[in-house]
Amino acid sequence: MEKNNPEEFKVPFSPLLIGRYKMIKKIGKGSYGSVYKVEDIKDRKTATTPDSPKKYFAVKKMKLPANRLKIQGIDFTTLREINILQEIKHENIIPLVDVFHINRSTFMVMELMKSDLSKLMFSRTITLTIPHIKCIMLQIFYGLKELHKNWIIHRDLTPNNLLISEDGVLKFSDFGLSRFFASNNRPMTQNVVTLHYRAPEILFGANYYGPQIDIFSAGCILGGLLLRGTLFCGRNDIDQMSQIFKIMGTPSEETWEGVTNLPHYVEFEETPPQSFRILFPGIDEDLANLLEGLLVLDPNKRLTVEQCINHPFFNKSPDSCDPDELPMDDIS
Amino acid sequence: MNKLPSHKITKAQWPRESISPHSKSQICNKNLKAPARHFVTQMNVYSDEKNDEKLYKKVLLEDEKYQNVDLSADFQTNEPKSTSRRQVLKWIYHFGQKFKQSCITIQTAIIYFDKLIGKLPIMHIKHESDLWAATCLLVASKFAEPDMNVVRISDLRKVNKKFKLMVMKKYEKKLCSILNWELNFITPAHYRDSVVDEAHELEYCSKDIYGHNDTIILMSTELRNIKYSTIECACYLYFKDLQDSHIAKTLINSFGSSVRDIKRCIEYLSGYKKPEEKPIHIPKAIKTNMNLTAEIKLPSVDSSHKKNKSVSNTGRSSTFEDSNCPNRSISREQECANKYIQKYNVTSKISKFKEKNSFCQQPLARCESVDVVNNDDMNKSASKLPGFMNRSLIICREKAVLRKRLDLSCEADGSKGSDTTAESRPIAKNYAYGVGRMYYCNSKISSKMKKVRKSQDQNLSQVSIVKSLKMTKDSQLNNSRDSALPPGFSKNNMGTGSKQRRHQRLLKKCRYPLGKKTSLVYSKADRVKVYKISQKELESVPVILTRSRLTNRR
C-alpha cells in the first residue's frame, strides 16, 4: 500500500505544517483568524552549517465562517489580501512568504514581527518624544504612499494592524478589508474601518469615498500618540460622531460642501471647532497644523499623503530619530 | 535651517521611496492602475479631476505594452480546439450575465481561462471544460465583484449538479496555484470609461452604457496581438455606427491605436453577426426526442430542416405526457403537428420557432430573472423583489414553462390557448404531482411559523402552486435543463438514482434555509411544501400565482 501524499493528511494543528513549518506557539487572535509562531525547518536543513540561526515566521490561519452554509471555498477577503500583498513589495508593508492550504483552511506565511503599535502607544512605562512620533508617523505615511500609489485603500488602519519589527520598522498588515479603488464606478460598503478610527464621511454613510479615509485614521493615530490613548472613543456611530464634532466643530454646507446630501446625515448641535494647541498644551504650531490637516471633516480639504510627507513639521528640528532608536526594549 | 526628510533617508534602514516604477518586472506585477474616478463623477469630492484623467490614460496606456501578451498559439491555430474555447467563453458569458456579474468580472474570467490554456495540457482542460469555466467565473467574481454580488457555489450547483462544493473548492485551489495567485488583470472594460469620456468630450455621443457583447466576441476570436484599448474603441465605434465619421480618427489618435487593427476588428464584428443569425440552435433535448417523432407518421411536407425541427419540438411535449395517457397524447400530437404545419407559412414558422427555442434554452430550475414570462409588468415587479423571493419565482417559473408548453399545444390546435381554457386544465393536472400552500406572512414571523400555523388560516389565504413535475419525469426535466448549455457540454450525471434517494434529497434541500429571511417548512404530508412570503411581495407577482382548486388534492 502506497501512502498518500502526506501533505493532505496533516491536521491543521499538527506541529509540522506541510512538513516544513514547525509550530511553536500561538501569538495572536483576531477577527481574521489566529497567528502562530513557526520555525522554518527546510531552510535549516539546506543551510551548510548546522549552527546557522533559526528562521522564524508568523503563520496566519484564516478563520472560516461560523455558518457552515456560508463556506464557499476560499474566502474572497483572503483572495484579495493575498493578491495585494503579493503585488506590493515595500519596506513598510509586510512581505508575504508563502501560501498553502491544509484541509479547508488557508495559511499565509509572513515575516515575524516583535509587537504592534498599540502596545507602544498604550504602555505607561514608555515615554515617546517628538522625534519618536515623527519617526512613527513618517513610516506610516511612506507605507500609505506606496499603497495609494498603487490605487489601494487599506480601509482598516489602526495601531493593532501596524506591526513593529525588532529594528523598529513599522509594517502594515491585515489587508482583509482593503481593495482597489476606482477599478470602476461601483459603490463601496460602509462597514469598514474600526469605529474609533472611522472617517466622518463613512459615518454619514457615503457610498463613494477615497483614500482620504486612511488619512483620517492616520490623524487619529497621531492624536493617540500625543494623548497616549484613543483620540475619539465613541460607543456607537452617533456617539463617535459627536466626539469628533466636539473637537473639529459641526459640519455645515459652508465648511463641507455636500454633507447634507449624504445618506445618513444627521444634524448635531452646533459647536465651534477647538484649536489643538489648547487640547494638547505644549505642542508647537506645525504639529497642531498637521493634526488639523489630517482630521479635517471635508475629505476634499484633507491633506494628501504627499503633502503630509512634505509638511513643515517634519522639516523642523528636532529631526526624527532612526527606527532602531525607538524604545522597543521596554515593551513587555 | 530647513532640512528635508530626505536628508535622513539616506540611511539603509530607512524606508525609501520605491524606485523606477517602470522597470519591466514591476509593471508586469502591478497591473491595475486607475485613479479615483468614481467619486469625482459621483460626488465631486475631489478637485483634481483633470489631472487624474490624464494620469489614468497615461498609466493605462503605458502598461498596455506588457499586458496583452500572446497567450497560447497552439490553442488558437488548431480549429477544433479554438471552437471549444469559443464554447467555453460563451458559457462564461451566458452564465456571467445570468448571475448579473459586471463586464469586468466576465472579462477577467475569460483572461483566467486563457492563462490556464497556456499552462495546462489541453486534454486536461478539454475533458472538464465546463468545470474550469465555472471555477474561472467563481474566482473572478470573488476577486472583482462587490461583496454582495459574489457568485456562490450553491448558485453554480443549480446550473449543473456536477459543480459540488468539494469539487469546486479543489479546482479553485488548483486555479489559484496555477495562476500563482496573480489575479489582477487589465481588461478591455477598464478602458471603457475613458473611451466613452473621450467621445463625450467631442460632443457627439451620449454617455450611454453599451453592450459588452461585442467585446467578448472580439476577445474570443483569433484576432491576437491587438491592444485592449483598440478592441474597446472598435467596439464603441461599431456599436454607435461611427466607423467612417471623423470622430473615429480623433478617437484612434488619442489612444494611439492603428487604423488597420480597428478595421480588422470592425470587419470581424460585422462578419461575425451575420452567420450567427442564420443557423438555428437546436437544444440537445430536442435532438434526443427525434426518434419519438419518427414514429408518428407525419404528412410529407417539403423537408426543410426547420419544419422537421418544429415538429420535433411539439413532439417533445408528448414525451411529458405519454406515461399517463399515451394514446391520447399521440393522437393529439398528430393533430397538432398537422395543423401547425398547414397553418403557418414558412416565415412565420421561423419566428415562432425562435420564440420556442428561446424558452427551451432557459434552464428550468435555476433562474433569477423571469424572462420566460414575456410580461413587462412581471419583469418590473421582479426587479423590485428582494433576493429571497427567488425561490418562489422559480416555482412560478416552472409553472410558466408548463403553461407555455400547454399554450403551444393549444396554439397548434388553433384555439390560441391560455390556461383558462378548458382543454389545458386536465393536462395541467397531469403535470402536477404535488401542490403546495403558500402562506402570506411577514418574513419576521417566519421563525415563529409553528404558532402561525396553529392559529391558521384566518389571516392567511391560500395560494396553490404547481411545485414540479412528477418525480419519475425528473430525467426529462434534466434534459431540458441541459439544453441551456451550449453544445459540447456534458449532461448532468445525476440522472440515475432510485426514487427514494431523490425523495430524500428533496427532503434535505427543504430543511435548509433558502435565504436570509426565507425558510422552508416541510409538512408531514410528503409532497406539500410551504413557502413563506410577505404579502406585499406576493401582490407584486399577481401574474403567475393564481388561486386554483388543486389545493384540495392534499
Side-chain angles (χ1 to χ4, degrees), chain B residues 310-364:
Chain B
S310 69
V311 172
S312 68
N313 200 15
T314 47
R316 180 169 164 242
S317 66
S318 78
T319 56
F320 285 94
E321 291 170 28
D322 50 10
S323 68
N324 278 340
C325 42
N327 296 326
R328 192 180 149 203
S329 68
I330 286 176
S331 63
R332 192 188 173 77
E333 203 54 48
Q334 263 182 328
E335 285 176 21
C336 295
N338 285 336
K339 283 179 183 175
Y340 190 84
I341 291 165
Q342 284 166 10
K343 199 175 176 183
Y344 298 102
N345 47 17
V346 184
T347 50
S348 69
K349 251 179 225 167
I350 296 168
S351 62
K352 280 277 169 189
F353 184 70
K354 272 182 191 170
E355 281 177 21
K356 280 176 213 167
N357 250 352
S358 67
F359 102 78
C360 285
Q361 283 177 29
Q362 308 289 342
L364 261 186

Side-chain angles (χ1 to χ4, degrees), chain B residues 113-137:
Chain B
F113 190 75
D114 281 345
K115 295 264 173 196
L116 202 72
I117 292 165
K119 288 180 181 175
L120 273 189
I122 291 157
M123 287 312 290
H124 279 251
I125 302 170
K126 236 188 168 183
H127 288 304
E128 299 159 334
S129 54
D130 47 352
L131 259 174
W132 280 118
T135 32
C136 284
L137 189 64

Side-chain angles (χ1 to χ4, degrees), chain A residues 68-76 78-80 82-83 86-87 89-92 99 101-106 134-135 138-139 142 145-146 149-151 155 167 169 179-189 201 206-213 258 262 298-300 309-310 314-317 319-325, chain B residues 1-9 11-19 21 26 29-39 41-47 52 55-56 59 102-105 138-139 141-148 150-155 165-166 169 172-173 176 180-184 190 193 512-513 516:
Chain A
R68 257 189 114 202
L69 286 174
K70 279 183 185 171
I71 297 172
Q72 296 287 328
I74 303 165
D75 200 25
F76 52 83
T78 319
L79 208 74
R80 288 170 195 169
I82 290 170
N83 206 45
Q86 206 189 24
E87 272 186 22
K89 302 235 155 64
H90 190 259
E91 218 158 323
N92 289 116
V99 177
H101 304 280
I102 292 173
N103 292 348
R104 278 203 223 124
S105 35
T106 315
K134 272 186 188 177
C135 172
L138 264 182
Q139 293 194 59
Y142 279 117
K145 190 187 172 188
E146 180 66 20
K149 214 172 85 189
N150 286 296
W151 311 109
R155 298 213 292 190
D167 309 332
V169 181
R179 65 167 267 172
F180 290 93
F181 61 99
S183 53
N184 28 24
N185 295 350
R186 278 191 221 136
M188 305 192 230
T189 49
E201 64 258 36
N207 280 327
Y208 301 93
Y209 49 81
Q212 313 297 36
I213 61 165
L262 290 174
D298 189 353
N300 226 345
I309 292 170
N310 296 327
F314 295 114
N315 299 336
K316 257 187 174 178
S317 64
D319 279 341
S320 68
C321 66
D322 279 343
D324 48 2
E325 286 169 21
Chain B
M1 281 291 285
N2 276 350
K3 279 184 192 173
L4 285 172
S6 57
H7 173 71
K8 278 275 175 185
I9 285 168
K11 285 197 174 181
Q13 285 179 336
W14 192 253
R16 268 173 249 114
E17 287 186 34
S18 65
I19 325 138
Q26 264 198 347
N29 270 334
K30 72 186 175 182
N31 300 320
L32 202 152
K33 298 279 167 186
R37 305 183 71 252
H38 53 288
F39 44 81
T41 52
Q42 294 288 339
M43 275 186 60
N44 277 330
V45 174
Y46 297 101
S47 51
D52 277 358
L55 225 174
Y56 173 74
V59 177
S102 67
C103 52
I104 286 184
T105 315
L138 186 75
V139 174
S141 92
K142 270 181 183 173
F143 184 72
E145 207 65 21
D147 300 0
M148 294 305 291
V150 170
V151 174
R152 294 172 146 221
I153 296 174
S154 50
D155 293 336
L165 186 66
M166 293 311 291
K169 273 183 193 170
E172 204 176 45
K173 282 173 193 170
C176 286
N180 203 17
W181 290 94
E182 281 168 18
L183 303 173
N184 204 357
H190 283 114
D193 283 345
Y512 286 129
K516 278 178 186 172

Side-chain angles (χ1 to χ4, degrees), chain A residues 19-240:
Chain A
R20 177 171 174 179
Y21 301 105
K22 191 180 174 186
M23 199 99 94
I24 293 172
K25 67 173 179 183
K26 195 172 179 176
I27 309 171
K29 200 180 169 187
S31 58
Y32 48 83
S34 36
V35 182
Y36 302 91
K37 190 182 174 184
V38 140
E39 189 194 338
D40 190 356
I41 287 176
K42 195 185 175 186
D43 240 41
R44 239 176 69 200
K45 279 179 184 172
T46 52
T48 47
T49 53
D51 299 329
S52 60
K54 290 177 182 178
K55 265 200 170 181
Y56 293 108
F57 287 107
V59 167
K60 188 173 172 185
K61 186 195 171 198
M62 304 308 287
K63 207 179 186 179
L64 291 169
N67 191 347
R68 257 189 114 202
L69 286 174
K70 279 183 185 171
I71 297 172
Q72 296 287 328
I74 303 165
D75 200 25
F76 52 83
T77 52
T78 319
L79 208 74
R80 288 170 195 169
E81 185 174 359
I82 290 170
N83 206 45
I84 285 171
L85 280 179
Q86 206 189 24
E87 272 186 22
I88 299 176
K89 302 235 155 64
H90 190 259
E91 218 158 323
N92 289 116
I93 284 153
I94 198 157
L96 185 71
V97 182
D98 197 2
V99 177
F100 57 89
H101 304 280
I102 292 173
N103 292 348
R104 278 203 223 124
S105 35
T106 315
F107 290 78
M108 291 160 65
V109 185
M110 289 180 294
E111 222 170 70
L112 184 69
M113 308 296 269
K114 199 185 177 192
S115 72
D116 57 16
L117 186 63
S118 68
K119 277 177 191 163
L120 200 79
M121 225 162 107
F122 299 129
S123 90
R124 292 186 179 179
T125 52
I126 299 170
T127 46
L128 287 177
T129 55
I130 291 282
H132 289 155
I133 289 173
K134 272 186 188 177
C135 172
I136 291 169
M137 286 317 289
L138 264 182
Q139 293 194 59
I140 291 175
F141 287 137
Y142 279 117
L144 273 184
K145 190 187 172 188
E146 180 66 20
L147 285 180
H148 291 180
K149 214 172 85 189
N150 286 296
W151 311 109
I152 293 165
I153 328 177
H154 189 281
R155 298 213 292 190
D156 196 8
L157 194 62
T158 61
N160 285 320
N161 290 334
L162 290 166
L163 307 180
I164 305 178
S165 71
E166 280 192 43
D167 309 332
V169 181
L170 222 77
K171 303 209 177 192
F172 286 58
S173 74
D174 200 354
F175 285 74
L177 280 173
S178 51
R179 65 167 267 172
F180 290 93
F181 61 99
S183 53
N184 28 24
N185 295 350
R186 278 191 221 136
M188 305 192 230
T189 49
Q190 301 138 24
N191 297 328
V192 145
V193 191
T194 314
L195 180 66
H196 298 167
Y197 299 87
R198 209 175 280 172
E201 64 258 36
I202 312 175
L203 288 168
F204 276 140
N207 280 327
Y208 301 93
Y209 49 81
Q212 313 297 36
I213 61 165
D214 283 345
I215 302 283
F216 190 87
S217 311
C220 290
I221 290 171
L222 178 56
L225 284 172
L226 294 171
L227 196 72
R228 305 305 293 280
T230 34
L231 186 60
F232 307 117
C233 190
R235 265 164 274 153
N236 49 36
D237 281 19
I238 288 175
D239 190 27
Q240 179 73 19

